[in-house]
Amino acid sequence: MKKTTTRLTALALSLALLLTSCGGGASATSMHLRKTEGTVGVSDGEGKDVTPQENLGLYSGYGVETQAESYAWIDLDKVKLTKLDAGSEVEIAKESKKLEINVVSGSLFFNVTEPLDDDETMNIVTSTMTIGVRGTCGWVGNNTAALLEGTVSVTAGDQEVTINAGEMVVLTKEGELKVREFTYDFVPGFVVREILDDDDLKQAVLDASGIRFPTSYEELLSMLNEEPGEEVVYSEIIDFEADGSPELLVIRNSPSGEYVRFQFTIYRDGPEGVRWITGTVPIIGSGTLYVTCSLVERDGRLFVECITASEGISGGDRYSFAVYIGSVAEEDGGPEDWDRVDLFRNGQRGGLAGDVARHNEDGFIISGNEWDEELSSVMMNPYTFVRELYRIDYDF
């Protein structure tokens, strides 16, 4: 494992986060690599590789690194747990009752069930912030800290904010601290897995933040119907990847000024609970005639086609814009494998004719940053219509 020797904290803005909770006390005297999943590297204080194993003792100067789809759990006195996300690296510094976990890259989940004594410290450090953990639960990544339990005081220079369970603080590129609320679908998957595997933690998070983590499509739909200002107008379980593990399509209406806007979203039920995969909000504005959402098929797979039909500013020519969203994954691909499959843009007057850019795992295939004319000529109607799902007519 390659050791990182430079420290970015001296060059970056430092945030001091004081996390509070209640009950007990413990000594941060014993650290162990509790377990690993996938490919995990460990190095000692001299940078030499150490073979990972269950309950491996960790000492000052040790480093732990995870590769893709790999995770590592570190415990302290069995009452304090941290978990490295995939593609993350940490270094450990320990002196007496002072512990520092330096997140060199990636993200880290923490769950401290018993707070430290007054003479103990446990800091999680990134390139932009320092988190003084005393007894709470949340996660930290570059420029972001979020809480599932507890209260946090955050300072950055002469700025100071307080966040509570269900809130996160983000350091913007302008150096400003922004506090935002978050919902279950903003919680990283590697954190959700820990919550779903621990009923007590799941209940504690619900009590502290009000955040529920759906474990079925029925539960998700119930949650969506409870959101103020939102209306679920259509839902259907569809096997977009034709792999026997169907996804959930949801279409929702929400008011937007003087008109109603709808959005459609596709979710998947997997090891990390029911998670958002992809979706879009059709673009509408002055001159929009209607927006229609349909199910279409190509090469044995189903996709959602969303068409916005409008008329010109003068009220003459009609034009259309369509996007097709579905899966380009072979089986149960991650969110990076779900996106706009083809993008169709009208460049002619009237009707549904125009330009097409095909999408693959690397993004849109567009020659020289222009629309692919050769592709467009053979891809005008690449899909077979199955049935209309939802439509809104506008009268601006």
Side-chain angles (χ1 to χ4, degrees):
M1 175 181 146
K2 182 180 179 181
K3 291 284 289 181
T4 301
T5 57
T6 59
R7 287 288 188 273
L8 301 178
T9 53
L11 304 177
L13 184 62
S14 178
L15 311 180
L17 287 75
L18 305 177
L19 287 69
T20 62
S21 187
C22 60
S27 299
T29 57
S30 175
M31 287 184 296
H32 293 88
L33 181 66
R34 194 178 79 182
K35 65 177 182 178
T36 63
E37 179 180 314
T39 303
V40 176
V42 180
S43 61
D44 63 16
E46 297 179 352
K48 297 180 180 179
D49 290 341
V50 178
T51 302
Q53 57 183 304
E54 188 173 332
N55 294 320
L56 174 70
L58 300 176
Y59 308 95
S60 186
Y62 272 52
V64 180
E65 182 178 13
T66 59
Q67 301 299 319
E69 300 182 2
S70 304
Y71 308 92
W73 289 259
I74 300 172
D75 71 29
L76 299 95
D77 306 309
K78 299 182 180 180
V79 295
K80 306 170 186 67
L81 172 73
T82 61
K83 176 187 178 183
L84 277 71
D85 191 12
S88 299
E89 180 182 356
V90 300
E91 294 177 352
I92 297 170
K94 184 176 180 295
E95 180 180 357
S96 185
K97 294 184 177 182
K98 297 181 180 180
L99 170 67
E100 179 178 291
I101 301 177
N102 178 33
V103 183
V104 179
S105 60
S107 301
L108 186 75
F109 166 72
F110 56 88
N111 180 27
V112 180
T113 57
E114 294 185 19
L116 279 68
D117 288 334
D118 292 340
D119 61 344
E120 295 175 309
T121 62
M122 174 182 167
N123 294 328
I124 300 175
V125 180
T126 74
S127 62
T128 57
M129 64 179 68
T130 299
I131 307 169
V133 179
R134 301 212 64 81
T136 190
C137 175
W139 76 91
V140 59
N142 190 34
N143 298 326
T144 303
L147 288 185
L148 296 163
E149 293 183 89
T151 300
V152 176
S153 178
V154 183
T155 59
D158 58 356
Q159 301 178 78
E160 182 174 359
V161 298
T162 299
I163 62 173
N164 302 297
E167 295 179 333
M168 64 170 57
V169 60
V170 178
L171 180 65
T172 67
K173 62 181 180 180
E174 292 80 18
E176 183 179 2
L177 291 178
K178 292 285 188 180
V179 177
R180 304 167 182 169
E181 293 184 351
F182 62 89
T183 57
Y184 85 94
D185 48 352
F186 281 89
V187 182
F190 84 104
V191 175
V192 176
R193 284 179 59 183
E194 296 302 300
I195 296 172
L196 294 180
D197 288 343
D198 187 332
D199 290 339
D200 291 338
L201 178 58
K202 183 179 178 181
Q203 185 62 50
V205 170
L206 176 61
D207 293 341
S209 65
I211 297 177
R212 294 161 53 191
F213 294 87
T215 56
S216 68
Y217 292 146
E218 293 77 11
E219 187 178 0
L220 171 64
L221 287 171
S222 176
M223 291 171 55
L224 294 177
N225 279 314
E226 294 172 2
E227 292 185 4
E230 299 284 339
E231 178 188 10
V232 176
V233 295
Y234 187 88
S235 65
E236 183 179 353
I237 297 176
I238 300 173
D239 191 355
F240 286 99
E241 293 183 299
D243 64 351
S245 179
E247 290 74 34
L248 174 67
L249 169 67
V250 178
I251 302 177
R252 285 179 285 174
N253 276 348
S254 59
S256 179
E258 299 179 355
Y259 51 85
V260 174
R261 180 186 296 273
F262 80 83
Q263 60 178 315
F264 69 85
T265 312
I266 299 173
Y267 299 88
R268 173 185 292 137
D269 187 2
E272 298 172 348
V274 180
R275 305 289 292 173
W276 175 94
I277 297 179
T278 188
T280 191
V281 177
I283 299 174
I284 64 173
S286 178
T288 299
L289 301 172
Y290 65 85
V291 180
T292 182
C293 185
S294 301
L295 198 63
V296 296
E297 182 272 336
R298 188 180 74 185
D299 298 331
R301 292 191 180 183
L302 296 171
F303 300 87
V304 177
E305 173 195 64
C306 189
I307 297 177
T308 301
S310 303
E311 61 182 3
I313 298 177
S314 63
D317 299 332
R318 193 185 86 170
Y319 61 95
S320 301
F321 180 86
V323 295
Y324 299 86
I325 291 185
S327 171
V328 294
E330 290 300 322
E331 286 188 0
D332 289 336
E336 69 277 2
D337 297 318
W338 282 69
D339 209 326
R340 292 178 177 174
V341 179
D342 293 320
L343 184 61
F344 175 96
R345 184 189 67 176
N346 179 273
Q348 302 178 14
R349 296 182 177 181
L352 293 177
D355 303 315
V356 175
R358 183 178 289 176
H359 177 280
N360 64 12
E361 65 274 11
D362 298 320
F364 289 112
I365 306 173
I366 301 177
S367 302
N369 295 323
E370 299 293 338
W371 296 96
D372 192 324
E373 295 182 1
E374 180 179 355
L375 184 62
S376 297
S377 66
V378 297
M379 292 287 292
M380 289 301 179
N381 295 293
Y383 301 93
T384 300
F385 176 83
V386 177
R387 53 188 158 88
E388 186 175 86
L389 302 175
Y390 190 68
R391 173 180 174 132
I392 291 183
D393 291 283
Y394 293 96
D395 182 16
F396 288 97

